[in-house]
Amino acid sequence: MYRRFGWPIALGLVLALVAAGCGKKSTPGGTPTETAQKLSTKKPGFLTVGSCLNYKPFEFYEGNTLKGFDVEVMQEIAKRLNLKVEWVKADFDTIFTALAAGQFDAVAAASTIKPERQQVVDFSDPYYNARQSLTVNTSKTPDITSTDQLTSGQVVGVQKGTTGKDWAEANLGTKGIKVKTFTEITDAFTDLEAGQIVGIINDEPSSQSEVESRPGLKVVQPIDTGEFYGIAVGKDHKDILDAINKSLKAMIDDGTYKTIFAKYFPGVPVPPQFGG
């Protein structure tokens, strides 16, 4: 999921969230401009973005500072539109219905473009191609290096509402492997450390970030599912979608995207379609 230069300035605003699953933390800032007011955003001068805000390396807090690939991409898009970003923490399992209900202007949460979601919201052009992965606890199951070695009755963890969950249910659940869902993917990694589950199916970049601080856990298998992330926008806001796509293309063309990518995925080649 569960997710962009210059960090938002806290103005002491409190955003009341009415949908189930949304959190309390938001990061507002900025002053409206004449250009920004032309877009059909919730508040003039602001782009309100829903995200999990707990999904490294895409969106996460270090202390009170919000960081991540999604964060910097969205902040750069907003800057080019003369807008300031207001981040709203939301439950990924309900984030697209919340967007459709008008709680945010957009969703940036490492969100895979998929037909079921496109029935509810629209997506921008792709901005990241991702793979799923299998993570295991090497101190407890050192011989497991592939999903082919999982056996009936074993339990794997996934995050609710994700394509990792979909893949696990379609490819592992049919073999008798139990799929346990978590609202926050970090809780799945904690269970894996404790030996309560045998593995985790999750986006590869997120899993790689998690295991860096969890000795004994290892990403042992990438799973190529042909996924691409997109920025979601409500279906009644084509002007916002078009503006995001235009800014995203300009970022790719002028090399800004490549700079952000290298910051969060050092040593990973930028795909050609994104300026590599």
Side-chain angles (χ1 to χ4, degrees):
M1 45 291 46
Y2 355 112
R3 8 287 229 0
R4 286 110 147 135
F5 296 136
W7 305 110
I9 303 171
L11 297 179
L13 300 177
V14 177
L15 182 64
L17 302 178
V18 296
C22 290
K24 297 179 180 179
K25 196 166 191 177
S26 62
T27 308
T31 303
T33 68
E34 183 178 350
T35 302
Q37 289 177 8
K38 295 178 182 178
L39 295 176
S40 60
T41 55
K42 283 173 59 65
K43 295 193 294 184
F46 294 85
L47 188 66
T48 304
V49 182
S51 189
C52 298
L53 305 184
N54 188 23
Y55 198 72
K56 292 183 178 180
F58 295 95
E59 56 270 343
F60 60 97
Y61 275 95
E62 283 189 357
N64 293 322
T65 302
L66 185 59
K67 297 184 176 183
F69 180 71
D70 282 353
V71 173
E72 292 207 24
V73 167
M74 287 307 296
Q75 287 177 337
E76 179 65 20
I77 287 173
K79 185 177 75 173
R80 291 170 187 246
L81 299 176
N82 294 318
L83 295 169
K84 299 293 182 179
V85 180
E86 180 175 88
W87 292 95
V88 180
K89 182 173 174 58
D91 184 341
F92 192 81
D93 193 34
T94 57
I95 202 167
F96 299 109
T97 54
L99 174 62
Q103 292 182 35
F104 338 110
D105 298 313
V107 163
S111 306
T112 300
I113 302 169
K114 52 186 295 190
E116 301 94 309
R117 293 172 181 169
Q118 289 175 308
Q119 294 177 9
V120 180
V121 298
D122 289 330
F123 279 92
S124 71
D125 296 333
Y127 74 96
Y128 186 85
N129 58 333
R131 299 187 296 187
Q132 295 296 321
S133 64
L134 171 66
T135 303
V136 301
N137 187 326
T138 56
S139 65
K140 297 183 181 298
T141 55
D143 296 330
I144 294 180
T145 59
S146 150
T147 56
D148 293 337
Q149 295 167 303
L150 299 175
T151 58
S152 179
Q154 291 182 320
V155 182
V156 296
V158 298
Q159 185 177 16
K160 291 180 180 178
T162 64
T163 51
K165 173 181 176 290
D166 295 342
W167 188 92
E169 289 177 341
N171 294 275
L172 304 179
T174 54
K175 300 177 182 179
I177 298 163
K178 298 178 181 179
V179 179
K180 181 178 180 180
T181 59
F182 295 81
T183 299
E184 298 280 353
I185 195 62
T186 50
D187 293 334
F189 282 97
T190 300
D191 269 15
L192 183 59
E193 285 181 309
Q196 296 178 14
I197 57 178
V198 74
I200 292 173
I201 303 297
N202 182 51
D203 289 3
E204 185 183 20
S206 170
S207 293
Q208 292 285 11
S209 290
E210 282 294 329
V211 301
E212 288 177 2
S213 59
R214 298 176 185 264
L217 301 190
K218 183 179 180 180
V219 178
V220 294
Q221 179 191 11
I223 303 169
D224 194 350
T225 54
E227 296 180 36
F228 288 89
Y229 294 163
I231 300 160
V233 177
K235 285 187 172 294
D236 294 332
H237 298 281
K238 188 176 184 300
D239 61 325
I240 297 176
L241 182 67
D242 289 346
I244 287 174
N245 279 333
K246 182 177 179 181
S247 296
L248 188 58
K249 183 180 185 303
M251 289 170 58
I252 293 171
D253 290 346
D254 67 20
T256 304
Y257 175 96
K258 187 174 183 178
T259 299
I260 301 172
F261 186 97
K263 179 177 179 179
Y264 289 98
F265 310 104
V268 178
V270 178
Q273 66 266 45
F274 302 127

